[in-house]
Amino acid sequence: MKSGYVAVIGKTNAGKSTLINKFLGFKLNIVSPKVQTTRVNVLGILTESESQIVFIDTPGIHRAKTMLDKFMNKSYRAASEGADLILYLVDGAKEILEEEIQNIKNLTAKFEKVIVGVSKIDLASQKKLLENLSLLNGVGACEIVPFSSKSGKNVEVLKKLIVDNLPERSFLFSGEEVSNRSVLFFCAEIVREKVLSTINEEIPHGAFCEVVSHSESQNLFEISVDIICEKESHKAIIIGKGGEKLKQIGSRARADIERLVGKKVMLKLFVKVEKDWRNKQNFLTTNIYS
């Protein structure tokens, strides 16, 4: 048997969460076209007959401006240190900058096993894709796989290459486990995803969602979630005229949570203001995401 930890890293919006969701066959992490959607490391565990891949979905690499940014960058570095294999994703539909090339060189110099995945090839022109692949082929000691999570092209090829590079050992988790995070963590993340998709302004990047209470019976799952933003004006936009936006967020989140828990859900949402929360330590502790 083969098993191991695979740190999936790359710049923001490289398609890390989308790929892991594709591998697992369900939504482990929320997805948004907006940057810095993933904030903490989340394990996604793919167990098959002779292999177990433990994907570590990490926040995107970006320049740190707040304590939250520093926390996110620290998360991806910690994931890399403990991994058996590094999967570095590059957006194949965009121009590959020298910064990306240097990131890959740094990784191949530090880690024995590095795979470069070139994502979103369905969005790239043939010319751009060939240019990017040619550029990456000159980097050196890593294997390169172009793929599309949307169409599924080369996803199985990439998975086989990952398994081939994992160490031979017993499974790290039981075959029934699919993540290291709790149901409440995923409930809060579902609400945050709906905030991101419902509100078009940049405000959602200053939004934090926290489960404050929950109870469960045989047929009903009751949960209360705070949506925390940085300004009163942000609060007004999230709530919307006559509460319209908040109702949309709640309706969409409730449907996803019902699919998650397999029963009827009573969801209560409250919008609160906490100025400059991204620079406050108590919002960055991992117990909030337990």
Side-chain angles (χ1 to χ4, degrees):
M1 293 190 296
K2 288 196 161 192
S3 67
Y5 291 93
V6 178
V8 185
I9 65 177
K11 296 185 73 174
T12 57
N13 269 354
K16 299 180 293 296
S17 296
T18 303
L19 175 62
I20 294 175
N21 291 346
K22 181 73 173 180
F23 276 133
L24 298 176
F26 67 92
K27 185 183 285 188
L28 176 78
N29 256 345
I30 67 175
V31 176
S32 167
K34 298 176 181 178
V35 298
Q36 301 173 26
T37 301
T38 300
R39 289 177 175 168
V40 294
N41 296 340
V42 181
L43 299 187
I45 305 164
L46 176 61
T47 303
E48 298 183 331
S49 58
E50 297 295 326
S51 65
Q52 185 178 77
I53 309 173
V54 184
F55 293 104
I56 312 172
D57 191 5
T58 65
I61 302 170
H62 61 287
R63 293 181 180 177
K65 297 178 181 179
T66 67
M67 283 182 64
L68 175 62
D69 294 333
K70 293 176 182 178
F71 176 82
M72 290 160 66
N73 283 340
K74 183 178 179 181
S75 293
Y76 98 77
R77 286 194 296 270
S80 301
E81 294 293 341
D84 297 292
L85 170 68
I86 305 295
L87 175 57
Y88 186 90
L89 293 196
V90 175
D91 187 338
K94 295 181 179 179
E95 180 182 357
I96 296 178
L97 303 176
E98 180 58 34
E99 180 184 0
E100 293 267 58
I101 299 298
Q102 192 57 53
N103 285 342
I104 296 170
K105 286 181 179 179
N106 291 341
L107 287 169
T108 55
K110 188 173 182 179
F111 299 98
E112 181 181 352
K113 295 182 178 181
V114 178
I115 297 172
V116 175
V118 183
S119 66
K120 306 180 185 180
I121 60 172
D122 53 311
L123 302 178
S125 67
Q126 189 71 12
K127 180 182 178 182
K128 173 57 66 179
L129 181 59
L130 289 174
E131 288 175 353
N132 284 342
L133 291 176
S134 176
L135 187 61
L136 291 169
N137 280 326
V139 174
C142 58
E143 298 191 67
I144 300 166
V145 180
F147 72 93
S148 167
S149 296
K150 184 177 180 180
S151 69
K153 185 174 183 179
N154 287 345
V155 169
E156 286 299 314
V157 173
L158 180 56
K159 184 173 74 172
K160 184 179 185 304
L161 184 59
I162 291 170
V163 171
D164 289 346
N165 281 278
L166 292 181
E168 292 187 1
R169 64 181 173 207
S170 300
F171 289 171
L172 300 165
F173 296 86
S174 72
E176 291 73 35
E177 292 179 272
V178 295
S179 181
N180 64 325
R181 299 293 180 178
S182 69
V183 169
L184 297 184
F185 168 85
F186 290 112
C187 289
E189 286 290 271
I190 286 170
V191 173
R192 188 163 67 90
E193 179 184 55
K194 303 315 173 188
V195 173
L196 287 167
S197 63
T198 304
I199 309 297
N200 293 322
E201 291 84 351
E202 291 300 311
I203 292 164
H205 296 298
F208 176 91
C209 295
E210 179 181 10
V211 175
V212 292
S213 66
H214 80 286
S215 62
E216 187 173 2
S217 63
Q218 184 174 351
N219 299 313
L220 182 65
F221 187 88
E222 298 184 63
I223 184 167
S224 177
V225 178
D226 282 352
I227 301 171
I228 298 167
C229 57
E230 293 181 308
K231 299 178 181 179
E232 289 291 341
S233 58
H234 295 178
K235 177 179 178 179
I237 292 173
I238 292 172
I239 293 174
K241 187 176 180 180
E244 178 185 359
K245 291 294 184 182
L246 191 60
K247 289 176 184 176
Q248 290 178 13
I249 293 167
S251 178
R252 294 169 181 173
R254 183 168 55 253
D256 278 10
I257 295 173
E258 285 180 345
R259 282 190 285 271
L260 175 68
V261 301
K263 63 181 67 176
K264 184 178 179 180
V265 169
M266 181 178 293
L267 172 64
K268 296 179 181 179
L269 299 179
F270 301 91
V271 185
K272 298 183 178 181
V273 176
E274 183 71 39
K275 294 182 180 179
D276 200 30
W277 73 261
R278 284 179 287 183
N279 282 308
K280 295 183 178 179
Q281 186 65 38
N282 61 301
F283 285 98
L284 308 180
T285 53
T286 55
N287 68 300
I288 291 176
Y289 294 98
S290 62

